[in-house]
Every structure is written in structure tokens, then in C-alpha cells.
């Protein structure tokens, strides 16, 4: 294809260095540049001690640098952010310092520095010298390694002539040019196809035009947006279509479609394939978890032993090039390429994704500090569009991402394994085990607990004073065999730090893969626990020690991850949060943007595009489902469920707030339905994938030849993400208001928000519970042909504080007796009046 005009192709420093100068295999050592809150903290500590390492030197951080390399047909724009730009006060000379943090000890690092890191430092040196050449004709640059394990620093510096540096830079860029030319040709074709792209369906659904208009507007302004779009709005296409248009217009470098489940990602892939079938040219990668891709899982990702990792970079280039020939890269294709070229499939999909236009994957790849893709979210050079589907799942998921549990049982099990394999190594676990055992013995110290949770006085903690002499005066929360502290534990942190250092030596000596896996699990759990204490700890965190369900579990809990979610995108990426269930919107805006109102996303709320007469919502206020009254109301509840199931013309799903409540009502329900030709199914606690598929298969139209009533739990596998259209589902019954079970952790969450005047009950119980109710109810109307009724059973639905949470377009009707319910059901869509 002929090239008609010069084009600028941008490349990040890290990507250019990796493309040209990376070699060898995947190593065990991992590094990261400054990024996020942890990088900010490490940077501050390092900068505060800079004079100790480099006397008299001053500097500034995150300095953006850019330089062009021109060829006759192409301009390569190299850009990045130097971690530190240092200034010699005597000469005024500026020189970059590339900073890498590592979980390893400094003694485990290459003595002269990693060649790839030197390549990055040299690139930054040239970018600086190209605009501010040194009068001496010499360029200086350096590397700094920070061991998070030892809290120690090693600084290495080099100096070379500007002529040598310029020649090396030209060689590096020239080596990239052939690939850049192919990339340029591809992007020209892609952008032409995007300009020609038309909406793939003959008409727009109600609200869809406004949805797409606002998405494009927010992508252009880089302001976050929160969209509640009911089922039928076409959420997937309504976000992807304008985002792809924005990609073609240069509004972002890449699009990330982030989901909570693989099935939702599959829907996004199908939407893109629809556009590709109509002429769109777009490279798409659907990311798959490492454990699902690994061809040798028995090696537990040991990069020294694994043949797919040992010589990865020699073979990877050809595998990447072949992968880029395909418009859609998924787990099947990646596995085929990995076998053909003998490379790690997980790393290969990440390398291919560096050149993809659309990346589809789990929330973790953007928001989890342990697995976040630093190649995209570390070096803050390019803008991306983040499309966050099923966003109602993100707040809880994010809190889990920033938490870590340490289990006494796991330490004991590992010690027994090491005793058999490496007897002398087993003792390294003893100090931590002894600490946990002492904590477990005294976990109930502090007096009688009343009301489920006690705000303990500092004087009531003698046992923790023995364990932690340095423990500050902090508020403590206590329940039976449970304790929560609002402060780190200095002695435990020292013990864990010592253990992490010792376990590195143990790992080097271990050969048994299964024991190595358990050792790695403990190693990474302890390391991340220390990272929380050191990098993230603040008012939004609390430590809990619990022996309620067995041996002691000590957990660092994140109560509020809103700041971490916000910091992932703020000032850099466009974020579109969307779901069918984002009520109340102000609660989710706070969850995604933090307590400061100026940081919160803009809001768009759309109504259902389906005719309101297709759905009847009934609120049964006559049955008390509060846990204190469940025994008394169980028979009346069973009669209401049976009546609704028999009146429905087709299949019915009924959701209970817990398995215990389900067990209480089921015998009564079975007795009432025994003489009717109805298939009664129930979700069980240990359902496997095959059993879940069989449960859903019974709802397929005509599959069993009779009506099906399925009993499930709120928030479980059948509460969201399933599509039962037409007669497959004609009614949904929800028992209760979905409140989470009362427990110490939930009460701590309540108190956290109460202290901030944010209504702790709503934050900890009401809103999370009602989201599950709305998700379950949303299973009913999945297409414009669906009809049926929703029955919500609980006396609290008659209260204003619960009624206000219902969607505006529901227009519910109330009843309080079985007779009133029967009369309403006879008027409902998909009602069966023949049942006596």
C-alpha cells in the first residue's frame, strides 16, 4: 500500500526500550516505576533522603519529555515521564534518574543494573539533551533501585558523549521504524474504517442517542461519567460505538472495556464482531487469567524452570507479529501461538495488547494494585478510555483489592510441609506462628460484649500490650473472639518483614512444586500485607483479628476504596461507569469519586425503553421478613410465593436473602405445591458449573414441558448476568430487602461512615442490600417482548426510605393480604386466571 503523507507515530519510552532492547527470558524479579499512591509515597521518602545519596543535588519528579525522530516517510514521537530530573546546583546540568522499586533485596539484583533499565534511562537522557544540550558535550543519567523489602537504595550513574548518545538513539529508533511503518499503515486503514462506520442496527432504542452523545462528550473532555441504563438500553454498543469513534478521532490511545465476569466480556466481543462484519478494522484482545492459560501449571509460574519463560524474548517477536494479523485475540488463539513459538501465553497476550485498540478484561487489570497492568497505567503518558461495565460490582471488588488476610492455619500447614521437605527451613515460620497463637489465646480479653460490638477502652487490652508494646492509643472494636484495631501493629510488621526475607532463601532451595506454591502464597500475602501497612494505610483501613470460625485470621480491611478508584483515572484517563443498577446514583458517584464532590463523576440516568404496561410491580407489605419474625411468618410467605408461582403464566424465579431462610420456608412451599404440575428447583450451597447450567436449562421455553419455579439466593449466581427471555421467565419474587448479614466487619463499616456524617446504616446495609434486590428484579424484562410481574415481599417496602430507592418508572402497587395479592396478580401481564 502506498504511503501518501508523513505521519506522526507516538511511542512511550518504556515501550520503545522493551521493543528494541529486551532479551532473554522472563525473570523472577519484578520492578515497577512510581505509580499511584504507593509510588508517590516511595518518591517522597526517596526525595526526602536525596541529599544523603547525592549531596547537593536537587530535582523534580514526573517530568514529561518528548523528542521526535524523523525519517522521510514517518516521524516517531518518543515521549515519557522521567521519574526524577536532577539538577546540579553548581553547573545547572539536568540529568534523569530512572527509579525502580522491587520486592527483592538489593543483593538479588544485577550488580550493574538491568540492561533494559539502562536503555530507558538513556532514552530519557537523550530526550532531555535534545532540547537542553549539555555545554560540556557529555550526558549524564542514572538508575536508582529501591528495595521495598529492605527500605534501602542503590544508585548507579553513567556518563557518555552526546555524539554517542545521539547515535544510539538513532539506532534504537531505526530498529523500531519498520514496525512503526506497519503500525502507521494499519492505523490509517483503521481510522478510515472508523470514519465510515455506521451504527449497526436499523433504529435506536429510547435513550440510546442521548447515551452515546454523552459518552462521546465525556471522552472528549476526559470528565468521568456515571450512567444508569436499564436493561434494553443497549449499554454495550452505546459505550463501544462512541468510544471507537473517539479512538478514530484521536481522543485516546486505547479503549479498555472492564468487566466483573467473563460472560460480560463475551458480550462486548460479540458487539465488536458485529461492527467488524460491517467493515470496521480494529484490533481487539480479550484478556484471560494466567491460571486458565498456563500450559504447565504444575511449575507454578517458576520462570527459571518453565520452558515457556526461559527464552521468551527471543521467540516473542514472531509470535506477536502473527497475533497482530488477527482482528480478535482470545485465549484459544493465544494458546495456539504459545505452543507454536514456545512462549508464555499470558505474557504474550499482554505484549499483543500493547498494540491493540480495544482490550477487554477484568477490573483487576486497571484497579488492583497487585495485578494492574503497569505498561498501561504506570507510565502516565497516553490517555485511555475506561469503559466500566456492571459498575455496581466495582466498589466491593475494589475494597477487596486493597485488603489482605493472613491465616494461622496456612502458616501451620506450610510449616508441616517444610518440616518434611526442608527441616531446617521450617523454623523461619515460628516467630509469626507464635505471635498468632498468642493473639488467638487472648482474642476475647476485654470484658463482656453487649450489643454485638463493643467500643473497648484502651485499658481493656492487656494481651495486645504484651504482643505490641509500641501500640499507640487507638480506638478498638471488640466482639466475641473478634478484635479490630485502627492502627498498624509495629512488631507484627517487623516479624513479617523478617519472614519475607527468609522465605526468599527458602524458595531458592525448594524443588517440590506444590510446597513451592504454598510458600509463594504465604510470601506474597505477607508482602502485600506489609505494602498495605506501608503504602496505603490511613483512616479508610482497619485491622481485624478473628477466631470465630477456626484458627486466627488477621486481616487488613479497606473500608473505602473510592480514593484508589478515583486515582486510577483522574487527570489521565476517561472513565465511563455504567450499569442497569446504579441506584442511588449519589452513592455510586461517591464510591467512584471519593468524598470530595468536585471529584465525582457526572451523572446520566435513563429510563427503561420497554413499555411500562409490560411489567407490574407489587409490594407486599403484609409479611415481616425480619430475621426475628421469620419463624412466625414462614407459612404466610410460603402461601404468597405459591400463589404468585401458580398465577404466573410461565416460569418464576424467587430470591431469598439467605440459605437459612430458604431452608425454613422450602418444606412449607413443597407441601403447598405438591399436587400441582410444577417443577420446583432450588439453588444449593455447593453448586458446580454443570449444576448451575442444569438449573438454568430448566427455564428454557418448553424444556421440561411444565412450569418451573426456581428458588435462589440474592447476590448469588442467578441474581445477575443471566438472560431468560420470553416465557423462560414471567415473574420474579424477591423476599426481603436484601440487607447484608449483621457482623463485626459490617458494623465497623457502619461506624466508619457515621463518623463522616454519611449515614452508616445506608452505606453499610441499606444501599448494598437494595442493589441486590434491583439486580434480581432486573432478570424479568430482558427484551421488548418480555412481560410479567415483580413481587417484592417485606413490610419495609411500605416505608418512604425504601420506596424512594425504587426506580421512578416502576409505579408499584401495594397489598397487605393474600386476597389483595390474588386480585392484583389476576391483572398482571402473563397471569394465569385458571388456577384455583
Amino acid at each position: 500500500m502506498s504511503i501518501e503523507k508523513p505521519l506522526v507515530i507516538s511511542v512511550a519510552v518504556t515501550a520503545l526500550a522493551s521493543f528494541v532492547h529486551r532479551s532473554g527470558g522472563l525473570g523472577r524479579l519484578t520492578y515497577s516505576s512510581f505509580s499511584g499512591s504507593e509510588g508517590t509515597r516511595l518518591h517522597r521518602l526517596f526525595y526526602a533522603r536525596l541529599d544523603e545519596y547525592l549531596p547537593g543535588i536537587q530535582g523534580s519528579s514526573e517530568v514529561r519529555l518528548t523528542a521526535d525522530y524523523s525519517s522521510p516517510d514517518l516521524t516517531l514521537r518518543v515521549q515519557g515521564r522521567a521519574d526524577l530530573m536532577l539538577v546540579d546546583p553548581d553547573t545547572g546540568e539536568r540529568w534523569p534518574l530512572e527509579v525502580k522499586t522491587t520486592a527483592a533485596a538489593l543483593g538479588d539484583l544485577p550488580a550493574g543494573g538491568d540492561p533494559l533499565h539502562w536503555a530507558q534511562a538513556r532514552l530519557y537522557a537523550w530526550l532531555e539533551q535534545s532540547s537542553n544540550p549539555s555545554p560540556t558535550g557529555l550526558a549524564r543519567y542514572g538508575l536508582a533501585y529501591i528495595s521495598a523489602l529492605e527500605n534501602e537504595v542503590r544508585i548507579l550513574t553513567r556518563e557518555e558523549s552526546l555524539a554517542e548518545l545521539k547515535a544510539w538513539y538513532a539506532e534504537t529508533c531505526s530498529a523500531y521504524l519498520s514496525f512503526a511503518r506497519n503500525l502507521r499503515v494499519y492505523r490509517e486503514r483503521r481510522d478510515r474504517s472508523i470514519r465510515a462506520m455506521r451504527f449497526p442496527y436499523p433504529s435506536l432504542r429510547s435513550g440510546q442517542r442521548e447515551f452515546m452523545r454523552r459518552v462521546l462528550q465525556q471522552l472528549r473532555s476526559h470528565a468521568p461519567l456515571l450512567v444508569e441504563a436499564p436493561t434494553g438500553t443497549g449499554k454495550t454498543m452505546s459505550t463501544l460505538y462512541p468510544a471507537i469513534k473517539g479512538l478514530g478521532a484521536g481522543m485516546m490511545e486505547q479503549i479498555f472495556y472492564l468487566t466483573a465476569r467473563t460472560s460480560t466480556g463475551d458480550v462486548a466481543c460479540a458487539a465488536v464482531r458485529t461492527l467488524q462484519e460491517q467493515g470496521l478494522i480494529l484490533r481487539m484482545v480479550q484478556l484471560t487469567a494466567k491460571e486458565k492459560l498456563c500450559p504447565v501449571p504444575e511449575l507454578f509460574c517458576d520462570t527459571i524452570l518453565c520452558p515457556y519463560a526461559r527464552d521468551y524474548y527471543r521467540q516473542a517477536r514472531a509470535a506477536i507479529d502473527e497475533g497482530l494479523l488477527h482482528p480478535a485475540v482470545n485465549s484459544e488463539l493465544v494458546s495456539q501461538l504459545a505452543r507454536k513459538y514456545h512462549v508464555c501465553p499470558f505474557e504474550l497476550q499482554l505484549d499483543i495488547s500493547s498494540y491493540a485498540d480495544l482490550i477487554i478484561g477484568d477490573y483487576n487489570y486497571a484497579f488492583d494494585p497487585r495485578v494492574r497492568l503497569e505498561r498501561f497505567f504506570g507510565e502516565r503518558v497516553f490517555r485511555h478510555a475506561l469503559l466500566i461495565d456492571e459498575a455496581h460490582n466495582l466498589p466491593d471488588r475494589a475494597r477487596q483489592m486493597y485488603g489482605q488476610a493472613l491465616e494461622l492455619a496456612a502458616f501451620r500447614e506450610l510449616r508441616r510441609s517444610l518440616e518434611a521437605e526442608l527441616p531446617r527451613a521450617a523454623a523461619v515460620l515460628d516467630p509469626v506462628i507464635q505471635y498468632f497463637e498468642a493473639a488467638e489465646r487472648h482474642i476475647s480479653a476485654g470484658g463482656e460484649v453487649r450489643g454485638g460490638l463493643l467500643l473497648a477502652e484502651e485499658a481493656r487490652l492487656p494481651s495486645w500490650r504484651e504482643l505490641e508494646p509500641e501500640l499507640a492509643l487507638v480506638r478498638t472494636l471488640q466482639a466475641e473472639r473478634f478484635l479490630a484495631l485502627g492502627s498498624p501493629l509495629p512488631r507484627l510488621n517487623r516479624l513479617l518483614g523478617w519472614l519475607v526475607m527468609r522465605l526468599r532463601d527458602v524458595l531458592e532451595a525448594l524443588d517440590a512444586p506444590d510446597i513451592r506454591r504454598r510458600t509463594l502464597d504465604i510470601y506474597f500475602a505477607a508482602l502485600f500485607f506489609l505494602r498495605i501497612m506501608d503504602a496505603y494505610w490511613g483512616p479508610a483501613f482497619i485491622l481485624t483479628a478473628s477466631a470465630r470460625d477456626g484458627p486466627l485470621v488477621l486481616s487488613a480491611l479497606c473500608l473505602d476504596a473510592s480514593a484508589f478508584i478515583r486515582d486510577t483515572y483522574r487527570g489521565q484517563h476517561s472513565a465511563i461507569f455504567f450499569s442497569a443498577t446504579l441506584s442511588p446514583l449519589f452513592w455510586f458517584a461517591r464510591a467512584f469519586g471519593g468524598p470530595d464532590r468536585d471529584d465525582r463523576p457526572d451523572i446520566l440516568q435513563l429510563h427503561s425503553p420497554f413499555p411500562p404496561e409490560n411489567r407490574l410491580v407489587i409490594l407486599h407489605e403484609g409479611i415481616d421478613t425480619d430475621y426475628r419474625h421469620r419463624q412466625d411468618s414462614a407459612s404466610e410467605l410460603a402461601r404468597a410465593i405459591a400463589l404468585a408461582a401458580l398465577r404466573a403464566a410461565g416460569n418464576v424465579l424467587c430470591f431469598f436473602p439467605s440459605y437459612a431462610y430458604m431452608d425454613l420456608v422450602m418444606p412449607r412451599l413443597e407441601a403447598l405445591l405438591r399436587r400441582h404440575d410444577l417443577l420446583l428447583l432450588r439453588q444449593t450451597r455447593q453448586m458446580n458449573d454443570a449444576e448451575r447450567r442444569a438449573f438454568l436449562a430448566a427455564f428454557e421455553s418448553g424444556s421440561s414441558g411444565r412450569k418451573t419455579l426456581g428458588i435462589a439466593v440474592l447476590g448469588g449466581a442467578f441474581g445477575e448476568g443471566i438472560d431468560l427471555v420470553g416465557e423462560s421467565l414471567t415473574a420474579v419474587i424477591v423476599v426481603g430487602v436484601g440487607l447484608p448479614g449483621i457482623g463485626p466487619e459490617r458494623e465497623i463499616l457502619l461506624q466508619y461512615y457515621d463518623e463522616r456524617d454519611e449515614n452508616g446504616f445506608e452505606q453499610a446495609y441499606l444501599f448494598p442490600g437494595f442493589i441486590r434486590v434491583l439486580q434480581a428484579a432486573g432478570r424479568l424484562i430482558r427484551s421488548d417482548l418480555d412481560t410479567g410481574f415483580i413481587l417484592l415481599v417485606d413490610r419495609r417496602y411500605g416505608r418512604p426510605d425504601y420506596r424512594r430507592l425504587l426506580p421512578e418508572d416502576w409505579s408499584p402497587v401495594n397489598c397487605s393480604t393474600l386476597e389483595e395479592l390474588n386480585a392484583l396478580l389476576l391483572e398482571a401481564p402473563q397471569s394465569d386466571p385458571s388456577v384455583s
Side-chain angles (χ1 to χ4, degrees):
M1 181 177 180
S2 62
I3 296 176
E4 300 171 355
K5 59 180 179 180
L7 183 76
V8 174
I9 290 288
S10 296
V11 61
V13 164
T14 51
L16 178 59
S18 296
F19 185 95
V20 179
H21 297 289
R22 190 158 233 166
S23 62
L26 301 172
R28 284 181 179 171
L29 293 173
T30 57
Y31 308 88
S32 66
S33 301
F34 293 138
S35 63
S37 58
E38 180 186 23
T40 301
R41 181 196 65 85
L42 286 171
H43 189 187
R44 282 200 305 266
L45 290 176
F46 179 61
Y47 186 78
R49 299 176 61 185
L50 187 62
D51 194 60
E52 176 184 332
Y53 305 121
L54 298 167
I57 298 294
Q58 300 173 349
S60 53
S61 63
E62 293 288 310
V63 177
R64 189 178 184 108
L65 299 171
T66 302
D68 289 347
Y69 177 81
S70 297
S71 69
D73 60 333
L74 184 67
T75 295
L76 191 64
R77 180 156 297 158
V78 184
Q79 50 191 328
R81 292 180 184 269
D83 290 328
L84 283 175
M85 185 61 68
L86 304 179
V87 181
D88 188 318
D90 297 327
T91 65
E93 176 192 9
R94 287 163 48 98
W95 56 281
L97 189 67
E98 179 72 1
V99 184
K100 300 293 182 183
T101 60
T102 177
L106 292 179
D108 294 334
L109 306 184
D114 189 304
L116 178 62
H117 300 159
W118 279 119
Q120 293 171 9
R122 292 178 86 182
L123 284 171
Y124 284 122
W126 175 254
L127 299 190
E128 169 62 22
Q129 293 295 330
S130 65
S131 57
N132 297 296
S134 168
T136 66
L138 296 174
R140 189 181 180 190
Y141 50 90
L143 294 177
Y145 289 103
I146 303 175
S147 170
L149 181 65
E150 301 171 320
N151 202 25
E152 295 293 332
V153 174
R154 176 194 297 167
I155 295 180
L156 307 169
T157 61
R158 287 181 179 176
E159 202 171 58
E160 66 179 300
S161 70
L162 294 187
E164 291 174 328
L165 185 60
K166 182 179 182 180
W168 175 86
Y169 175 75
E171 291 173 2
T172 298
C173 291
S174 295
Y176 188 78
L177 275 181
S178 176
F179 179 79
R181 289 189 179 97
N182 292 334
L183 187 62
R184 175 242 170 135
V185 171
Y186 163 75
R187 287 184 177 174
E188 285 182 331
R189 294 177 58 235
R190 179 200 70 185
D191 291 349
R192 281 198 298 270
S193 77
I194 291 175
R195 288 192 293 271
M197 182 178 69
R198 296 294 177 263
F199 192 72
Y201 304 117
S203 62
L204 294 172
R205 292 179 175 177
S206 174
Q208 199 166 29
R209 185 182 303 277
E210 173 64 8
F211 193 170
M212 292 191 291
R213 186 190 68 80
R214 283 294 300 277
V215 168
L216 191 61
Q217 174 184 313
Q218 304 292 127
L219 293 175
R220 184 180 291 112
S221 66
H222 304 293
L225 177 66
L226 178 62
V227 185
E228 184 176 50
T231 300
T233 317
K235 296 184 293 295
T236 305
M237 191 62 77
S238 295
T239 51
L240 279 171
Y241 184 80
I244 293 170
K245 283 290 187 181
L247 178 74
M251 295 180 191
M252 76 286 295
E253 190 74 11
Q254 291 174 305
I255 302 167
F256 285 80
Y257 195 99
L258 303 169
T259 73
R261 292 190 306 272
T262 302
S263 58
T264 314
D266 292 340
V267 173
C269 289
V272 174
R273 283 196 297 271
T274 297
L275 294 170
Q276 289 173 330
E277 289 167 1
Q278 298 185 8
L280 173 66
I281 296 172
L282 192 83
R283 285 175 176 163
M284 170 177 62
V285 174
Q286 186 174 20
L287 298 177
T288 302
K290 181 184 294 185
E291 58 269 20
K292 293 182 179 179
L293 284 175
C294 184
V296 282
E298 66 276 8
L299 295 181
F300 299 115
C301 211
D302 188 318
T303 55
I304 302 300
L305 299 177
C306 179
Y308 292 86
R310 199 176 299 133
D311 197 23
Y312 176 83
Y313 291 107
R314 186 172 66 86
Q315 300 278 54
R317 186 73 260 155
I320 294 169
D321 289 342
E322 184 170 339
L324 292 176
L325 297 176
H326 297 264
V329 176
N330 55 22
S331 59
E332 183 179 352
L333 176 61
V334 166
S335 296
Q336 291 173 1
L337 293 173
R339 289 191 296 269
K340 178 178 179 179
Y341 292 97
H342 222 60
V343 293
C344 170
F346 181 74
E347 195 67 24
L348 176 62
Q349 71 170 351
L350 296 185
D351 282 337
I352 293 175
S353 69
S354 296
Y355 310 106
D357 306 304
L358 171 64
I359 300 167
I360 299 172
D362 191 89
Y363 298 150
N364 294 341
Y365 295 115
F367 296 104
D368 192 327
R370 284 166 285 198
V371 297
R372 176 186 293 129
L373 301 180
E374 291 296 325
R375 67 182 70 200
F376 302 113
F377 300 103
E379 187 174 23
R380 300 170 73 86
V381 177
F382 297 118
R383 293 186 184 274
H384 305 307
L386 310 184
L387 309 180
I388 300 108
D389 198 355
E390 295 182 323
H392 62 275
N393 290 299
L394 183 56
D396 276 348
R397 281 282 302 275
R399 291 199 303 113
Q400 295 167 15
M401 292 171 189
Y402 284 87
Q404 180 65 58
L406 300 175
E407 301 181 8
L408 174 56
F411 286 109
R412 285 172 171 167
E413 181 184 358
L414 178 59
R415 196 196 190 289
R416 287 192 294 270
S417 299
L418 289 176
E419 188 71 49
E421 184 75 13
L422 289 173
R424 287 179 294 179
V428 303
L429 293 160
D430 288 345
V432 173
I433 290 175
Q434 290 164 9
Y435 182 101
F436 271 57
E437 289 175 340
E440 186 178 61
R441 285 194 300 271
H442 303 294
I443 195 70
S444 296
E448 181 184 357
V449 179
R450 293 180 296 275
L453 195 67
L454 175 71
L455 180 59
E457 298 174 2
E458 189 276 331
R460 293 185 176 186
L461 297 172
S463 59
W464 286 91
R465 277 284 174 260
E466 294 173 11
L467 288 170
E468 293 283 351
E470 304 167 50
L471 188 64
L473 294 177
V474 294
R475 193 183 64 176
T476 305
L477 301 170
Q478 186 177 344
E480 184 179 359
R481 296 183 64 76
F482 177 92
L483 191 68
L485 295 167
S487 171
L489 302 172
R491 179 167 171 255
L492 175 62
N493 290 350
R494 289 194 294 272
L495 291 176
L496 291 174
W498 182 87
L499 175 64
V500 167
M501 293 181 68
R502 300 286 75 79
L503 285 181
R504 290 192 65 83
D505 298 330
V506 173
L507 286 164
E508 292 296 329
L510 271 176
D511 293 322
D514 57 334
I515 302 177
R516 180 176 176 80
R517 172 75 274 171
R518 287 197 290 274
T519 306
L520 281 170
D521 287 343
I522 292 286
Y523 172 81
F524 285 119
L527 197 63
F528 191 66
F529 187 93
L530 290 171
R531 186 175 173 186
I532 292 171
M533 298 299 104
D534 197 30
Y536 306 129
W537 186 269
F541 286 85
I542 197 162
L543 278 173
T544 66
S546 174
R548 293 173 295 172
D549 303 315
L552 185 76
V553 177
L554 200 150
S555 303
L557 297 182
C558 178
L559 305 176
D560 178 8
S562 59
F564 301 117
I565 294 175
R566 177 199 64 206
D567 289 347
T568 300
Y569 64 84
R570 184 172 62 173
Q572 183 70 21
H573 308 300
S574 304
I576 310 295
F577 302 92
F578 58 101
S579 172
T581 309
L582 289 175
S583 294
L585 282 165
F586 69 84
W587 185 74
F588 280 103
R590 190 246 186 260
F592 300 141
D596 190 336
R597 293 184 181 275
D598 290 339
D599 289 332
R600 296 180 187 177
D602 297 330
I603 288 175
L604 174 63
Q605 187 172 26
L606 301 172
H607 293 295
S608 173
F610 302 138
E613 59 270 19
N614 286 13
R615 175 190 57 219
L616 174 66
V617 181
I618 304 172
L619 308 181
H620 192 323
E621 308 170 29
I623 298 176
D624 193 341
T625 73
D626 186 278
Y627 71 95
R628 294 166 296 184
H629 303 104
R630 287 177 179 175
Q631 189 72 41
D632 298 333
S633 62
S635 296
E636 182 70 8
L637 174 61
R639 285 193 289 269
I641 295 172
L643 175 63
L646 294 172
R647 282 281 177 240
N651 300 325
V652 181
L653 260 177
C654 176
F655 294 93
F656 277 79
S658 69
Y659 284 105
Y661 200 3
M662 183 195 300
D663 294 340
L664 175 65
V665 177
M666 278 298 293
R668 296 168 171 85
L669 188 59
E670 289 168 346
L672 290 169
L673 296 174
R674 189 170 293 126
R675 65 184 179 87
H676 295 277
D677 186 23
L678 182 146
L679 177 61
L680 181 59
L681 299 175
R682 63 174 294 175
Q683 181 181 357
T684 60
R685 288 174 172 82
Q686 304 298 329
M687 258 188 172
N688 57 37
D689 287 341
E691 291 168 332
R692 284 192 288 268
R693 287 194 295 270
F695 184 96
L696 290 174
F699 285 83
E700 294 177 4
S701 182
S703 63
S704 67
R706 51 184 174 151
K707 189 188 301 183
T708 297
L709 169 59
I711 310 295
V713 291
L714 279 173
F718 307 114
E720 62 175 293
I722 62 170
D723 284 307
L724 298 171
V725 298
E727 293 185 1
S728 296
L729 189 65
T730 60
V732 170
I733 305 167
V734 179
V735 178
V737 292
L739 299 184
I742 296 174
E745 292 89 350
R746 190 62 60 172
E747 290 295 298
I748 289 167
L749 197 61
L750 181 150
Q751 294 186 20
Y752 170 81
Y753 285 104
D754 269 349
E755 290 170 358
R756 286 152 181 78
D757 296 323
E758 294 189 66
N759 195 323
F761 175 75
E762 290 185 345
Q763 299 280 348
Y765 288 99
L766 180 57
F767 296 155
F770 215 77
I771 290 164
R772 297 193 296 178
V773 171
L774 295 178
Q775 277 292 314
R779 299 312 94 207
L780 179 66
I781 304 295
R782 311 300 295 175
S783 76
D784 52 0
L785 299 178
D786 284 357
T787 59
F789 63 85
I790 298 167
L791 173 60
L792 306 182
V793 183
D794 192 284
R795 62 175 177 79
R796 286 165 285 194
Y797 286 118
R799 289 167 37 180
D801 53 336
Y802 284 86
R803 287 287 294 267
R804 71 184 173 91
L805 299 178
L806 298 174
E808 292 180 6
D809 58 348
W810 271 18
S811 302
V813 293
N814 293 58
C815 69
S816 58
T817 67
L818 210 60
E819 292 74 17
E820 292 174 354
L821 174 61
N822 185 49
L824 291 173
L825 289 173
L826 286 171
E827 302 300 322
Q830 289 280 9
S831 176
D832 184 354
S834 65
V835 178
S836 59

